[in-house]
Amino acid sequence: MDKLLIRGGATLHGTVAISGAKNAALPELCAALLTPEPVTLHNVPRLQDVATMRKLLDHMGVQTQTHGERGGMSLCAPDTLNPEAPYELVKTMRASVLVLGPLLARFGRAKVSLPGGCAIGSRPVDQHIKGLCAMGAEITVEHGYMVARLPAGRTRLKGARIATDMVTVTGTENFLMAAALAEGETILENAAQEPEIPDLAEMLIKMGARIEGHGSSRIRIQGVEALHGCTHQVVADRIETGTFLCAVAAAGGDVLVQHGRIDHLEAVVEKLRDAGVSVSAVPEGIRVQSPGAGQLKAQSFRTTEYPGFPTDMQAQFMALNAVAQGTSKVTETIFENRFMHVNELVRLGANIQIDGKVSLVSGVPQLSGATVMATDLRASASLVIAGLVAEGETLVDRIYHLDRGYDQMEAKLRALGADIERVK
């Protein structure tokens, strides 16, 4: 099992290129299921989750091929495809539920294992089932599988008004894809607004879908009988962007974050600026300059749905707060289990107390290197950031979590001057 060895103390300088967004690439790979014509994606990140999704699509009969250095991938889903997603390929990745909507919309049936993924709390699929049933599907859960079909005599899903009980990103994406081929109009209320949603919608529009309101909480889709192939570039990963902003803020330095977009990270950027970090939009992306965490002011924040402070940036910003001046209060409202990185930060010398959904972080002058264990994807990133500023050596174990969501993170940090290496 690979580990990361980090020797702290180096400042970061240079340019880092942000990869395509995992949370856009995964549904866009699934969108290829909606047409028998070839679909080409560019800027697909080289991640474990992407490899798992590709393996799942291959298993079902999709023809996939990678090309070029900039993350090119072509997909073709024939009419003979087997619409089944087995447990063995689904258990490690919750995003695999995204095949349910497009399979049901195009083939009229699907058998998809209940998904796995990071152990950061409950992310029920009942909202997916509820929405697709509103569109006329019949779905049962049998032996750990969601078994979905259209009623006898129906060949297409039917448009519906879907109002989910909570804001769900993957639910919104599943409904978008399913509604694109449904009969009539579908209206999504309480839709997720993350930038990955309009990016998927724009890809579907290129395929011939009729969608309005994407990027707002109310999306309107007019179903069409068939979709065609397209070429689409995956939007840059805002969470990878935010992670590198926090890394430079903590370690200190001056870095150009290529392809990063401030308008996708306004809540995080505002907190970084309040802390004393210079963050500015430039033609190539974002320039971030920081004197280092010891000279920054700790910032309290509360995670919430987009465009609020993202839960996927909570752990990384907490690592920054751990070595900033003052005390901060971090409130997690999205997942009930997302403070598992706290005990590992404490092993490095951080002063953090947890009270339910709130962590109280008192900044310390210096962290001390130690062996720590990653518990989930974003926790891994927070431990890497802490290791960059800790005195001595930090060994981050179980970094397969990190590889699920960051494309060659250690190589990118090393190019900026960090003393970091992968240990086999």
Side-chain angles (χ1 to χ4, degrees):
M1 202 178 294
D2 289 5
K3 310 171 194 278
L4 283 183
L5 179 63
I6 309 167
R7 299 172 185 90
T11 54
L12 304 179
H13 298 271
T15 299
V16 60
I18 299 301
S19 301
K22 173 180 85 106
N23 290 340
L26 294 176
E28 287 164 6
L29 289 169
C30 295
L33 293 166
L34 292 166
T35 177
E37 296 185 14
V39 168
T40 299
L41 295 175
H42 295 290
N43 203 29
V44 178
R46 291 165 291 185
L47 304 173
Q48 188 57 48
D49 274 9
V50 170
T52 300
M53 183 63 81
R54 182 183 181 186
K55 191 181 297 184
L56 172 59
L57 295 173
D58 286 340
H59 171 84
M60 290 192 291
V62 179
Q63 298 153 14
T64 64
Q65 183 178 3
T66 54
H67 49 84
E69 295 183 2
R70 284 289 297 150
M73 187 182 297
S74 296
L75 307 97
C76 188
D79 292 329
T80 55
L81 183 143
N82 174 29
E84 181 172 334
Y87 172 74
E88 291 71 25
L89 294 173
V90 168
K91 62 184 178 181
T92 61
M93 185 179 63
R94 300 194 70 94
S96 49
V97 73
L98 287 166
V99 301
L100 182 61
L103 287 177
L104 192 54
R106 181 171 161 210
F107 297 96
R109 60 190 178 91
K111 184 179 178 183
V112 179
S113 172
L114 293 169
C118 284
I120 57 174
S122 175
R123 291 193 271 192
V125 297
D126 62 323
Q127 299 299 305
H128 299 250
I129 295 174
K130 175 184 173 184
L132 292 170
C133 285
M135 298 176 72
E138 296 176 346
I139 304 177
T140 57
V141 177
E142 305 171 10
H143 309 293
Y145 280 80
M146 292 175 285
V147 181
R149 61 182 65 83
L150 293 180
R154 286 204 68 89
T155 58
R156 293 170 66 188
L157 291 168
K158 64 178 189 291
R161 179 182 173 274
I162 301 174
T164 53
D165 299 334
M166 64 186 78
V167 176
T168 161
V169 174
T170 52
T172 301
E173 291 164 343
N174 240 338
F175 304 146
L176 263 178
M177 291 187 282
L181 285 179
E183 186 178 346
E185 181 179 78
T186 299
I187 297 176
L188 306 183
E189 307 281 8
N190 202 25
Q193 301 176 55
E194 278 79 353
E196 296 81 18
I197 301 291
D199 196 57
L200 171 63
E202 289 298 326
M203 175 185 172
L204 292 171
I205 290 169
K206 291 176 185 175
M207 296 172 70
R210 298 169 60 192
I211 303 171
E212 298 176 353
H214 42 294
S216 74
S217 62
R218 191 171 194 265
I219 304 176
R220 186 185 299 266
I221 309 106
Q222 299 287 344
V224 297
E225 287 192 16
L227 296 174
H228 52 73
C230 77
T231 297
H232 181 73
Q233 175 142 326
V234 180
V235 70
D237 194 320
R238 63 193 169 93
I239 303 302
E240 185 187 13
T241 299
T243 299
F244 274 94
L245 294 181
C246 283
V248 178
D254 184 348
V255 170
L256 170 63
V257 183
Q258 272 186 332
H259 315 307
R261 289 179 54 172
I262 284 180
D263 61 322
H264 287 176
L265 274 172
E266 288 180 345
V268 174
V269 168
E270 181 181 345
K271 290 296 180 183
L272 286 170
R273 286 170 172 165
D274 290 345
V277 181
S278 171
V279 185
S280 53
V282 295
E284 303 93 335
I286 301 173
R287 185 179 183 189
V288 54
Q289 299 165 286
S290 173
Q295 299 178 59
L296 302 180
K297 296 178 181 177
Q299 298 296 310
S300 297
F301 61 89
R302 178 186 184 90
T303 65
T304 186
E305 288 86 3
Y306 189 87
F309 197 103
T311 181
D312 279 353
M313 282 302 305
Q314 177 253 106
Q316 300 92 307
F317 210 103
M318 187 185 289
L320 173 61
N321 276 341
V323 285
Q325 297 175 15
T327 298
S328 58
K329 184 168 76 170
V330 175
T331 306
E332 174 60 56
T333 71
I334 306 297
F335 295 127
E336 71 272 16
N337 227 12
R338 207 162 203 177
F339 282 150
M340 292 192 292
H341 50 281
V342 168
N343 287 338
E344 302 305 302
L345 290 173
V346 169
R347 281 182 55 79
L348 296 171
N351 183 354
I352 307 173
Q353 276 83 40
I354 302 176
D355 183 8
K357 295 183 177 181
V358 177
S359 282
L360 201 63
V361 186
S362 299
V364 297
Q366 181 71 63
L367 296 178
S368 178
T371 298
V372 290
M373 183 177 68
T375 53
D376 62 68
L377 171 55
R378 306 308 172 184
S380 311
S382 76
L383 298 177
V384 170
I385 291 171
L388 292 174
V389 298
E391 183 181 23
E393 292 187 348
T394 298
L395 189 66
V396 183
D397 200 356
R398 291 174 62 179
I399 60 164
Y400 58 85
H401 288 295
L402 192 78
D403 293 338
R404 286 186 48 233
Y406 290 94
D407 185 351
Q408 298 181 302
M409 187 184 207
E410 76 277 8
K412 292 180 178 182
L413 284 170
R414 193 162 52 245
L416 296 177
D419 190 344
I420 180 172
E421 62 180 297
R422 183 176 288 251
V423 179
K424 295 289 183 181

